[in-house]
Amino acid sequence: MTDVEREAIVNDESEPNRFSDNASKSLVCQLHSGFSERFLRWRRRYLPVGGGTRRGHGSVKLSGPLVSGAAYCVSSCSMIIMNKIVLSSYNFNAGVSLMLYQNLISCLVVALLKLSGVVSVERFNWKLIRVWMPVNVIFVGMLISGMYSLKYINVAMVTILKNATNIITAIGELYMFRKRQNNKVWAAMFMMIISAISGGITDLTFNAVGYTWQTANCVLTASYSLTLRRVMEKAKQSTKSGSLNEVSMVLLNNLLSLPFGIILIILLGEWRYVISTDVTQDAMFWVAATASGFLGLAISFTSMWFLHQTGPTTYSLVGSLNKVPISLSGLVLFDVPLSLPNLFSILFGLFAGVVFARAKMS
């Protein structure tokens, strides 16, 4: 989830009367809110809570961020590992088809959650779709380039090279939004550049095709963040309620990506490969592919849950720290040939990511 999406969530939640436009319901909510506040003030004054109860309440407040943070880290790490298994271990050479399958799963799950009343989704219209189309084109390119880079590059190097996205985003913010970064941020980004270059030079499994895909992925990911920020307000104005929550963005992105995926599969001839390859006859392959689809959706929901429990600062820092177990697990699980200089480059890149997150806080 990008900073823009997180800001959109916070902004959406702060808008008054977003659940109803009915004046009578609004009045009832205001009366109820006023009564609740007076009751709580009276309760704190005349019925002080005991120490045991306070401790119990504190443990509940503490467990919320811990559980949501753990869920976010596990789903994020598992998603990357599962995609690597599907693309490399099973040698599946149809990244667009995998993306289409994962996004279809996301659409079906969100639709079921909406029908059951678990989540609320904005009603889409053609005006919103036209506004969102540039974002979705970049979104599809971002997913496909990420798939192919992960097929050719080991997980640890993908994680380190993704740091370049922060650099491109910072430069884009400077020219598009006149947002300036402090010296600590630029120093951290310089460390990221050094780690990426040294990592590529010392990578024993270097693959030019994979590095090209990863470079494209960094550019597209940064473009997605910057473009999303530009169209967000216009997209909100295109909805009936004047807002666009995270769940709606997840469904909109995945739903609009389906026709793009089908067209690309036909143009690239992937459908012939999918029909003829033996790997699609393996039941465990479908288990792994389906799991990756559910994990992709889980990242969206757990990141939103974790952000609501903590805040953008903690979310950013934990996201940087989460690269450490992802990189180490990728090295161990896939038995990646590793030299000492390459290991040092990876660790230095992980350290640069943490420094970057801390610098953004200051």
Side-chain angles (χ1 to χ4, degrees):
M1 182 183 292
T2 62
D3 292 337
V4 181
E5 290 172 318
R6 296 199 293 273
E7 291 170 5
I9 297 168
V10 175
N11 290 337
D12 288 345
E13 291 180 342
S14 66
E15 294 178 4
N17 301 329
R18 69 189 182 95
F19 293 105
S20 175
D21 293 328
N22 189 285
S24 61
K25 288 185 179 180
S26 176
L27 178 61
V28 171
C29 290
Q30 291 173 7
L31 292 172
H32 175 72
S33 176
F35 175 80
S36 299
E37 290 176 3
R38 288 193 295 273
F39 174 77
L40 288 173
R41 284 198 298 270
W42 177 86
R43 185 176 183 271
R44 284 194 294 268
R45 184 174 179 181
Y46 295 105
L47 297 174
V49 181
T53 306
R54 277 197 298 270
R55 285 193 296 270
H57 181 65
S59 64
V60 171
K61 288 181 68 177
L62 181 63
S63 64
L66 287 177
V67 174
S68 60
Y72 165 66
C73 291
V74 169
S75 60
S76 178
C77 183
S78 302
M79 173 64 174
I80 294 177
I81 298 300
M82 194 61 68
N83 274 345
K84 182 67 175 176
I85 291 173
V86 173
L87 294 167
S88 296
S89 298
Y90 284 98
N91 197 27
F92 187 63
N93 297 316
V96 180
S97 300
L98 180 60
M99 179 213 70
L100 179 67
Y101 183 64
Q102 291 176 345
N103 291 359
L104 179 61
I105 290 174
S106 296
C107 291
L108 292 175
V109 172
V110 173
L112 288 173
L113 292 175
K114 179 181 180 296
L115 290 174
S116 60
V118 177
V119 298
S120 61
V121 178
E122 293 293 332
R123 187 182 294 275
F124 301 149
N125 55 62
W126 285 111
K127 184 180 179 181
L128 174 62
I129 292 173
R130 284 195 301 270
V131 170
W132 200 262
M133 194 61 70
V135 177
N136 190 254
V137 171
I138 300 173
F139 173 75
V140 171
M142 181 181 70
L143 292 183
I144 294 173
S145 59
M147 292 282 188
Y148 282 109
S149 66
L150 197 59
K151 177 175 176 59
Y152 295 106
I153 310 176
N154 68 73
V155 173
M157 281 309 304
V158 166
T159 305
I160 300 308
L161 294 172
K162 277 183 177 291
N163 284 336
T165 302
N166 297 323
I167 302 170
I168 300 171
T169 303
I171 296 173
E173 287 178 336
L174 178 63
Y175 285 97
M176 294 174 63
F177 305 106
R178 297 292 183 261
K179 182 179 179 181
R180 298 185 178 277
Q181 308 292 342
N182 59 51
N183 292 332
K184 292 181 180 179
V185 171
W186 289 111
M189 289 193 288
F190 181 70
M191 294 168 62
M192 290 176 179
I193 294 173
I194 294 175
S195 67
I197 294 174
S198 61
I201 293 173
T202 58
D203 187 2
L204 298 179
T205 60
F206 179 85
N207 186 293
V209 175
Y211 274 71
T212 302
W213 277 113
Q214 185 54 50
T215 302
N217 179 254
C218 292
V219 173
L220 289 167
T221 303
S223 301
Y224 176 73
S225 173
L226 296 168
T227 306
L228 186 65
R229 182 174 302 185
R230 278 204 158 182
V231 305
M232 183 61 71
E233 286 303 319
K234 191 181 292 185
K236 288 180 180 180
Q237 295 170 8
S238 302
T239 61
K240 187 176 181 180
S241 66
S243 65
L244 192 65
N245 59 30
E246 171 69 15
V247 179
S248 300
M249 284 191 287
V250 170
L251 180 59
L252 183 61
N253 258 337
N254 287 283
L255 196 60
L256 291 180
S257 70
L258 298 182
F260 282 112
I262 293 172
I263 292 171
L264 287 172
I265 288 172
I266 295 172
L267 291 177
L268 298 175
E270 274 195 7
W271 63 275
R272 295 190 187 91
Y273 168 79
V274 173
I275 294 173
S276 60
T277 184
D278 293 333
V279 72
T280 54
Q281 307 300 319
D282 190 340
M284 291 308 299
F285 165 79
W286 287 108
V287 170
T290 304
S292 68
F294 280 104
L295 286 169
L297 186 61
I299 292 175
S300 299
F301 285 114
T302 55
S303 59
M304 180 172 57
W305 179 27
F306 182 44
L307 179 65
H308 289 174
Q309 291 287 335
T310 54
T313 300
T314 306
Y315 178 91
S316 177
L317 181 59
V318 171
S320 297
L321 293 173
N322 193 37
K323 292 180 180 179
V324 178
I326 291 175
S327 300
L328 296 179
S329 59
L331 293 173
V332 173
L333 290 175
F334 299 100
D335 195 23
V336 178
L338 196 66
S339 64
L340 189 60
N342 188 240
L343 177 61
F344 176 77
S345 298
I346 292 170
L347 295 176
F348 186 70
L350 295 172
F351 174 72
V354 176
V355 172
F356 177 82
R358 293 294 301 271
K360 292 283 284 186
M361 296 178 192
S362 60

